PDB file of all heavy atoms in Angstrom:
ATOM      1  N   SER A 308      -9.652 -11.668   8.557  1.00 96.00           N
ATOM      2  CA  SER A 308      -9.925 -11.314   9.974  1.00 96.00           C
ATOM      3  C   SER A 308      -9.191 -10.046  10.328  1.00 96.00           C
ATOM      4  O   SER A 308      -9.810  -9.055  10.907  1.00 96.00           O
ATOM      5  CB  SER A 308      -9.501 -12.458  10.796  1.00 96.00           C
ATOM      6  OG  SER A 308      -9.641 -12.171  12.099  1.00 96.00           O
ATOM      7  N   PRO A 309      -7.900  -9.840  10.008  1.00 95.00           N
ATOM      8  CA  PRO A 309      -7.235  -8.610  10.417  1.00 95.00           C
ATOM      9  C   PRO A 309      -7.909  -7.360   9.736  1.00 95.00           C
ATOM     10  O   PRO A 309      -8.080  -6.321  10.372  1.00 95.00           O
ATOM     11  CB  PRO A 309      -5.806  -8.764   9.873  1.00 95.00           C
ATOM     12  CG  PRO A 309      -5.606 -10.237   9.831  1.00 95.00           C
ATOM     13  CD  PRO A 309      -6.888 -10.788   9.459  1.00 95.00           C
ATOM     14  N   THR A 310      -8.264  -7.541   8.477  1.00 96.00           N
ATOM     15  CA  THR A 310      -8.865  -6.373   7.777  1.00 96.00           C
ATOM     16  C   THR A 310     -10.277  -6.116   8.336  1.00 96.00           C
ATOM     17  O   THR A 310     -10.592  -4.915   8.483  1.00 96.00           O
ATOM     18  CB  THR A 310      -8.925  -6.720   6.289  1.00 96.00           C
ATOM     19  OG1 THR A 310      -7.662  -7.074   5.827  1.00 96.00           O
ATOM     20  CG2 THR A 310      -9.386  -5.470   5.486  1.00 96.00           C
ATOM     21  N   ALA A 311     -10.963  -7.149   8.718  1.00 98.00           N
ATOM     22  CA  ALA A 311     -12.250  -6.898   9.298  1.00 98.00           C
ATOM     23  C   ALA A 311     -12.147  -6.150  10.681  1.00 98.00           C
ATOM     24  O   ALA A 311     -13.014  -5.340  11.027  1.00 98.00           O
ATOM     25  CB  ALA A 311     -12.944  -8.272   9.529  1.00 98.00           C
ATOM     26  N   SER A 312     -11.080  -6.380  11.319  1.00 98.00           N
ATOM     27  CA  SER A 312     -10.864  -5.679  12.593  1.00 98.00           C
ATOM     28  C   SER A 312     -10.840  -4.153  12.328  1.00 98.00           C
ATOM     29  O   SER A 312     -11.460  -3.400  13.076  1.00 98.00           O
ATOM     30  CB  SER A 312      -9.524  -6.120  13.279  1.00 98.00           C
ATOM     31  OG  SER A 312      -9.122  -5.163  14.230  1.00 98.00           O
ATOM     32  N   ALA A 313     -10.120  -3.754  11.281  1.00 98.00           N
ATOM     33  CA  ALA A 313     -10.099  -2.323  10.981  1.00 98.00           C
ATOM     34  C   ALA A 313     -11.419  -1.803  10.555  1.00 98.00           C
ATOM     35  O   ALA A 313     -11.875  -0.677  10.867  1.00 98.00           O
ATOM     36  CB  ALA A 313      -9.030  -2.083   9.890  1.00 98.00           C
ATOM     37  N   VAL A 314     -12.126  -2.629   9.756  1.00 98.00           N
ATOM     38  CA  VAL A 314     -13.532  -2.207   9.248  1.00 98.00           C
ATOM     39  C   VAL A 314     -14.357  -2.022  10.509  1.00 98.00           C
ATOM     40  O   VAL A 314     -15.135  -1.055  10.553  1.00 98.00           O
ATOM     41  CB  VAL A 314     -14.078  -3.322   8.346  1.00 98.00           C
ATOM     42  CG1 VAL A 314     -15.545  -2.993   8.034  1.00 98.00           C
ATOM     43  CG2 VAL A 314     -13.271  -3.346   7.030  1.00 98.00           C
ATOM     44  N   LEU A 315     -14.354  -3.021  11.405  1.00 98.00           N
ATOM     45  CA  LEU A 315     -15.224  -2.863  12.589  1.00 98.00           C
ATOM     46  C   LEU A 315     -14.936  -1.634  13.458  1.00 98.00           C
ATOM     47  O   LEU A 315     -15.814  -1.025  14.010  1.00 98.00           O
ATOM     48  CB  LEU A 315     -15.108  -4.187  13.422  1.00 98.00           C
ATOM     49  CG  LEU A 315     -16.197  -5.319  13.213  1.00 98.00           C
ATOM     50  CD1 LEU A 315     -17.595  -4.768  13.651  1.00 98.00           C
ATOM     51  CD2 LEU A 315     -16.197  -5.791  11.812  1.00 98.00           C
ATOM     52  N   GLY A 316     -13.631  -1.380  13.534  1.00 98.00           N
ATOM     53  CA  GLY A 316     -13.214  -0.165  14.318  1.00 98.00           C
ATOM     54  C   GLY A 316     -13.855   1.099  13.734  1.00 98.00           C
ATOM     55  O   GLY A 316     -14.366   1.963  14.429  1.00 98.00           O
TER      56      GLY A 316
END
Side-chain angles (χ1 to χ4, degrees):
S308 175
T310 308
S312 164
V314 170
L315 264 296

